[in-house]
Amino acid sequence: MTDEMDEMEEIIIEFITEAEESLEKIEPLFVELEQKGQDRDMLNDIFRSMHTIKGAAGFLGFQLIVKVAHSSENIMKKLRDGEFSLSKELMDVILKSIDMLRLLLEHLKAKDGIEEDIAPLVRELEDALNTAISGTTASEESEEPVEDSTGGQEIKPTESETAAPVAENIEPQEAPEIAGIPESSQNPDAKTESPSAGEQKPGEVAQEIKDNAQKPKETAQNLRVDVERIDKVMDLAGEVVLVRNRLLNISNYFNQNYSADSQTEMLMETVSFLDRVTSDLQLAVMKIRMQPIKKVLSKFPRLVRDISASVNKEVELIISGEGTEVDKSVIEHIGDPMTHILRNSIDHGLESTEERIAKGKPPKGRIVINIFQKGNQIVIEVSDDGQGINIEKLKQKAIEKGLLTEEEARKMSDEAATDIIFMPGSSTKAVATELSGRGVGMDVVKTNISLLNGYVEVSTEKNAGTTFKICIPLTLAIIQALMIEVSGAKYAIPLSPIEETLKVSKDEIENITGQNVIVIRDKVCPLFELNSLLGNGSIGNNGNEPDHKYIVVIAMGDKRFCIAVDSLLGQEEVVIKTLDGIDTTSSYVLGATITGDGKVVFILDVSGMSRNIFELTKV
Amino acid sequence: METSTVTEQVLQLVTFTLANEEYAVDILNVQEINRTTEITNVPNAPGYVEGVVNLRGRVIPVINLRKKFGLPEKNADDTTRIIIMDIQGVTNGLIVDSVSEVLRIPSDIVEPSPPVTSNTSRMFIKGIAKLEKRLIILIDIDKLMGEAVQL
């Protein structure tokens, strides 16, 4: 009994995930349709996805979903068959129905039993359908009116049709797919529905069959796996990496001391084989967690459409590099910051259409999202061709709000000033709009991105536009790190923010008002002893300071600072281990790793250091 | 044996020494007992956190109980042990001078700690077990770790 319940539950969860995915897929298609005009293939795709949702929902008895899906499917079907063309009004109601479907799925997921009132929406959908039909009836050929007379006059029949024949149609067709049983010859039943729907149906049924015939193959190639299981495999792979590192160390020892023994050679060979396999394994496991960033991007066309409509601007969104694969955790966390940036760009960045025409720019604003992989990083660029950030205004605002003093503002370089927008409580727009300008948002962007060990930069040019550039490491579990040593203790510094390493002599270090600085290529850079940053005091080399120091130059966005260390040990791939049981928020420690010789080495949190350093120097 | 467990509760303890005094923790909290290994210092951490160790690939914080209890420090030697404890899902290590034995005692010989002790360790003491010739201080591990976790 309980088994059956579980099974049912599983099916429902499966349905929800699949339906959500379908909705995610069709939403951007719609926006694209609106731009491209009629595209039969695309309409077909949309129609089919909607139909699948309707089918599955009918089988599971989610009548509300069936009704909404059915009503918007009605419109889509006619769109697909070219009975009328897609208007903005139609689009609006269809998008609304997608929102409603999402909401309904949300309730299903939460099992809160809340029933949304879908009647107004269904009515709206039907009204839209009727208006669209009556608008085109006159010009339509003889084939159509037959359907029109049924679809056009009566609202009730459409509704009653929703519940009964739909459910009938669904069971034979969709049930096998859900239950995972290979589907075969049950389609004849579908024909019971086809007469009622007119000539269009047979074609559709045929499509359906084709669609379902392809399905089994697809399910065989894709597997839904619990994330926890993947994470477990990931952990184990991390362990294997550590063991490999230790083995490499040991085999090196044997190679040096017992190179005459033939067994040593065997050992070296075996270990180097293990080395290779481990690297491959690690990569393969990492790839499991990688997903195309498209998943996040698919909601943006709709978002941009809605935002731009609400502020009365015309915006064209161009996305490239959506196939770039990133770690699951990146997908989870990058959505919000990108949404904020897009909002900001549309609301603040782009000018109104009139303003753009006056400036001689194309009336339509343009936002480009470009994503690419650069070394070990994923770079996400969001650029607009708007007015650029008004630096003076920004500074003025910041002064008014007490974020800066006038003196600081005067001294601030333009590049540094653009960072003001990331300060909590700053907003350039004099009047806050519904979308942005509440003073929250951009600082969230910064925090979210630094959670991912990334950073964000802004570059702006007056009247040419603004570009936000987000850089995030590819994966969060294994990183490239520079191993360094200070008074006998080893530390790892993540490689991505390191700009360069230098060896400087003692007299190159200057002291300005108590702060050590060095000059690197005509730029003054604050210098900190790692030991004092870590609160270890200046242990050890008191008095006999070496003549030379090694300097690690860290760049976080446009902020740079240097860390002085005793020696640089080299680059290593390290597995990040979390520290349970120790609160590391104040200790500049990101995590720990275990080196080849089994020692624990801390990974330093340079973005935390940077935050603290620049907060302190600002005050 | 069975009748005794029904009528009176039996405590199973792991006892260890710190500065010539005998302490004990509930055996259920003890995961394992290790010899000392290399301990890595944690930057900006309070003094009693000796550092972290590598326990078969996991990184575990280690607390120096002498420092925690305000006792004079002592260098690690042959008898020094790290007791790995699992407390509410968090694994921690405790450095002690030596581990003595596993003990079963009836719970009614445990008395509340005398109110006169002014030692900082008093807040972590659950009670004192009076055995024939010795006194064993029972440590309230939840309190001790609850403190340690939030540095």
Side-chain angles (χ1 to χ4, degrees):
Chain A
M1 187 61 200
T2 47
D3 268 7
E4 251 169 63
M5 294 271 286
D6 283 352
E7 212 166 283
M8 198 56 203
E9 189 121 300
E10 226 166 78
I11 292 174
I12 292 175
I13 289 170
E14 188 96 328
F15 160 70
I16 294 173
T17 350
E18 251 166 45
E20 276 176 339
E21 270 170 20
S22 303
L23 290 177
E24 220 165 80
K25 202 175 82 195
I26 55 182
E27 197 171 59
L29 287 179
F30 261 114
V31 182
E32 208 178 324
L33 257 185
E34 195 177 35
Q35 285 158 0
K36 273 195 187 162
Q38 220 74 344
D39 182 326
R40 233 190 117 82
D41 285 346
M42 226 182 253
L43 277 167
N44 245 333
D45 260 4
I46 295 171
F47 177 76
R48 235 178 290 146
S49 306
M50 198 51 112
H51 193 76
T52 315
I53 294 176
K54 185 181 87 172
F59 167 65
L60 293 166
F62 301 134
Q63 286 310 322
L64 292 178
I65 295 180
V66 172
K67 274 188 192 160
V68 175
H70 178 77
S71 303
S72 62
E73 186 192 346
N74 271 349
I75 300 182
M76 290 171 202
K77 196 171 83 195
K78 296 224 156 46
L79 277 174
R80 185 193 63 175
D81 299 338
E83 288 183 29
F84 42 73
S85 55
L86 187 62
S87 65
K88 195 174 171 307
E89 289 71 36
L90 275 180
M91 181 76 134
D92 280 336
V93 292
I94 292 175
L95 288 178
K96 254 191 214 169
S97 70
I98 291 179
D99 284 343
M100 177 57 84
L101 286 174
R102 282 229 174 94
L103 194 64
L104 293 171
L105 288 172
E106 237 6 87
H107 287 316
L108 271 187
K109 214 196 273 177
K111 290 196 200 128
D112 50 10
I114 297 175
E115 295 220 340
E116 293 292 327
D117 181 15
I118 56 161
L121 178 69
V122 172
R123 214 170 304 127
E124 214 177 312
L125 283 163
E126 278 160 5
D127 285 350
L129 177 64
N130 290 339
T131 350
I133 291 172
S134 57
T136 48
T137 359
S139 58
E140 239 21 89
E141 287 95 73
S142 58
E143 200 194 331
E144 257 51 73
V146 187
E147 266 234 348
D148 274 2
S149 58
T150 48
Q153 289 161 0
E154 31 176 307
I155 291 167
K156 260 196 208 147
T158 342
E159 239 180 312
S160 64
E161 195 197 24
T162 9
V166 164
E168 233 176 82
N169 165 23
I170 278 96
E171 287 210 15
Q173 280 210 357
E174 309 289 350
E177 192 198 311
I178 294 164
I181 304 158
E183 112 110 14
S184 55
S185 59
Q186 278 173 307
N187 273 310
D189 273 16
K191 285 207 174 114
T192 48
E193 200 219 20
S194 54
S196 72
E199 289 125 286
Q200 264 74 33
K201 272 287 151 165
E204 187 208 318
V205 174
Q207 212 119 44
E208 208 84 31
I209 295 165
K210 219 174 95 199
D211 198 27
N212 279 343
Q214 284 167 354
K215 268 282 153 69
K217 233 199 244 158
E218 238 174 76
T219 39
Q221 279 167 354
N222 288 311
L223 212 63
R224 262 181 228 287
V225 182
D226 197 334
V227 180
E228 268 177 37
R229 290 195 197 172
I230 296 180
D231 285 350
K232 180 81 199 162
V233 176
M234 186 87 173
D235 276 353
L236 290 174
E239 298 287 304
V240 175
V241 170
L242 295 175
V243 173
R244 184 239 2 225
N245 289 353
R246 295 191 71 164
L247 264 181
L248 279 174
N249 268 7
I250 296 169
S251 66
N252 278 339
Y253 167 81
F254 275 100
N255 195 31
Q256 277 162 18
N257 296 296
Y258 304 97
S259 55
D261 195 327
S262 66
Q263 289 294 314
T264 307
E265 202 180 318
M266 296 266 281
L267 175 72
M268 291 303 288
E269 226 177 271
T270 319
V271 169
S272 76
F273 179 65
L274 177 74
D275 183 18
R276 252 194 343 267
V277 174
T278 312
S279 297
D280 289 352
L281 170 73
Q282 198 185 327
L283 204 73
V285 174
M286 249 164 69
K287 280 226 172 111
I288 299 180
R289 278 174 58 106
M290 301 280 255
Q291 286 171 321
I293 197 159
K294 200 172 174 179
K295 241 187 141 180
V296 188
L297 297 176
S298 62
K299 66 173 181 180
F300 290 140
R302 164 84 191 277
L303 186 88
V304 168
R305 180 187 182 271
D306 287 358
I307 299 174
S308 53
S310 73
V311 293
N312 264 327
K313 289 175 185 173
E314 278 189 75
V315 180
E316 182 186 5
L317 177 70
I318 298 166
I319 298 178
S320 66
E322 55 195 349
T324 312
E325 293 204 323
V326 294
D327 191 83
K328 195 178 78 54
S329 45
V330 173
I331 301 238
E332 278 158 11
H333 290 101
I334 200 67
D336 279 352
M338 283 187 77
T339 308
H340 280 302
I341 291 176
L342 279 174
R343 280 199 172 147
N344 189 72
S345 295
I346 298 169
D347 201 20
H348 301 308
L350 296 175
E351 310 93 331
S352 63
T353 315
E354 301 85 57
E355 241 177 283
R356 290 182 67 89
I357 294 171
K359 280 180 183 170
K361 288 181 175 181
K364 234 183 186 183
R366 171 187 285 227
I367 292 181
V368 181
I369 300 179
N370 186 21
I371 298 165
F372 54 94
Q373 190 179 339
K374 188 177 150 200
N376 273 326
Q377 285 192 321
I378 291 289
V379 182
I380 302 172
E381 281 177 350
V382 181
S383 15
D384 64 61
D385 65 345
Q387 56 198 347
I389 297 172
N390 187 332
I391 305 265
E392 284 315 308
K393 209 161 117 193
L394 193 64
K395 282 185 181 171
Q396 204 52 48
K397 271 268 142 190
I399 294 167
E400 274 169 35
K401 292 205 171 145
L403 298 170
L404 283 178
T405 66
E406 281 194 39
E407 167 113 22
E408 278 169 338
R410 219 180 16 256
K411 280 184 191 158
M412 212 173 222
S413 71
D414 284 1
E415 283 141 48
T418 54
D419 261 10
I420 296 174
I421 61 170
F422 293 118
M423 287 184 185
S426 73
S427 171
T428 35
K429 209 152 202 191
V431 186
T433 64
E434 179 199 343
L435 297 169
S436 49
R438 284 151 300 167
V440 289
M442 294 315 269
D443 61 314
V444 173
V445 170
K446 190 148 208 179
T447 355
N448 268 14
I449 289 170
S450 53
L451 276 183
L452 294 169
N453 285 331
Y455 57 91
V456 55
E457 282 176 342
V458 199
S459 58
T460 182
E461 198 177 322
K462 205 167 185 226
N463 284 328
T466 309
T467 299
F468 288 86
K469 187 173 165 193
I470 304 171
C471 299
I472 302 169
L474 213 48
T475 173
L476 303 175
I478 297 171
I479 57 166
Q480 293 285 331
L482 177 73
M483 309 300 284
I484 52 113
E485 197 176 302
V486 179
S487 5
K490 268 196 200 176
Y491 293 98
I493 302 177
L495 210 58
S496 53
I498 297 179
E499 199 171 65
E500 59 183 322
T501 53
L502 303 166
K503 187 180 178 187
V504 297
S505 70
K506 215 161 51 177
D507 37 275
E508 278 176 81
I509 299 168
E510 285 165 59
N511 191 305
I512 299 174
T513 61
Q515 172 63 54
N516 281 343
V517 296
I518 56 167
V519 179
I520 306 167
R521 289 186 292 278
D522 296 336
K523 275 199 173 172
V524 181
C525 216
L527 174 74
F528 301 90
E529 293 284 339
L530 185 57
N531 259 341
S532 51
L533 279 177
L534 296 181
N536 292 347
S538 44
I539 320 164
N541 42 21
N542 263 353
N544 55 340
E545 288 237 336
D547 294 340
H548 290 280
K549 267 185 194 303
Y550 289 93
I551 306 283
V552 181
V553 184
I554 308 283
M556 301 294 291
D558 61 344
K559 293 195 181 73
R560 293 154 95 233
F561 63 97
C562 307
I563 301 174
V565 300
D566 291 351
S567 59
L568 307 172
L569 302 174
Q571 187 181 326
E572 222 171 275
E573 203 166 67
V574 300
V575 181
I576 301 180
K577 300 262 167 190
T578 48
L579 291 169
D580 277 342
I582 306 188
D583 179 8
T584 54
T585 42
S586 59
S587 58
Y588 298 138
V589 168
L590 192 75
T593 190
I594 295 168
T595 54
D597 47 9
K599 282 183 193 148
V600 180
V601 166
F602 287 108
I603 304 166
L604 299 178
D605 172 20
V606 281
S607 64
M609 283 183 195
S610 149
R611 264 198 304 279
N612 257 18
I613 287 169
F614 289 102
E615 240 163 57
L616 289 177
T617 47
K618 210 166 257 169
V619 176
Chain B
M1 201 62 210
E2 261 182 32
T3 46
S4 74
T5 45
V6 172
T7 49
E8 58 189 40
Q9 288 230 308
V10 172
L11 294 173
Q12 224 176 345
L13 304 167
V14 174
T15 66
F16 57 87
T17 59
L18 269 182
N20 299 325
E21 271 177 279
E22 213 167 353
Y23 294 81
V25 288
D26 194 323
I27 200 165
L28 291 176
N29 291 127
V30 177
Q31 189 184 316
E32 58 187 286
I33 296 161
N34 291 344
R35 289 175 189 279
T36 53
T37 51
E38 189 151 359
I39 297 173
T40 308
N41 278 327
V42 182
N44 293 338
Y48 60 83
V49 176
E50 192 71 24
V52 292
V53 292
N54 166 16
L55 181 75
R56 294 185 299 276
R58 289 173 67 198
V59 178
I60 310 250
V62 175
I63 286 153
N64 188 330
L65 263 197
R66 271 182 177 255
K67 286 188 193 163
K68 181 79 183 172
F69 289 169
L71 302 169
E73 284 182 44
K74 169 176 170 278
N75 283 335
D77 56 32
D78 272 0
T79 60
T80 307
R81 294 287 182 276
I82 299 178
I83 306 180
I84 307 287
M85 317 220 33
D86 185 18
I87 299 124
Q88 289 151 15
V90 178
T91 313
N92 277 284
L94 297 180
I95 301 182
V96 298
D97 288 356
S98 68
V99 173
S100 338
E101 61 182 325
V102 175
L103 209 62
R104 292 171 69 99
I105 57 161
S107 63
D108 56 5
I109 66 161
V110 177
E111 288 177 15
S113 55
V116 281
T117 41
S118 61
N119 203 317
T120 43
S121 58
R122 201 176 102 70
M123 54 196 289
F124 309 119
I125 295 174
K126 203 158 40 175
I128 291 175
K130 254 204 291 192
L131 267 67
E132 251 174 58
K133 273 185 184 164
R134 52 187 181 156
L135 294 176
I136 299 174
I137 305 167
L138 265 62
I139 291 179
D140 186 336
I141 206 71
D142 285 329
K143 261 191 202 153
L144 180 77
M145 288 315 185
E147 276 265 313
V149 170
Q150 36 181 285
L151 301 183

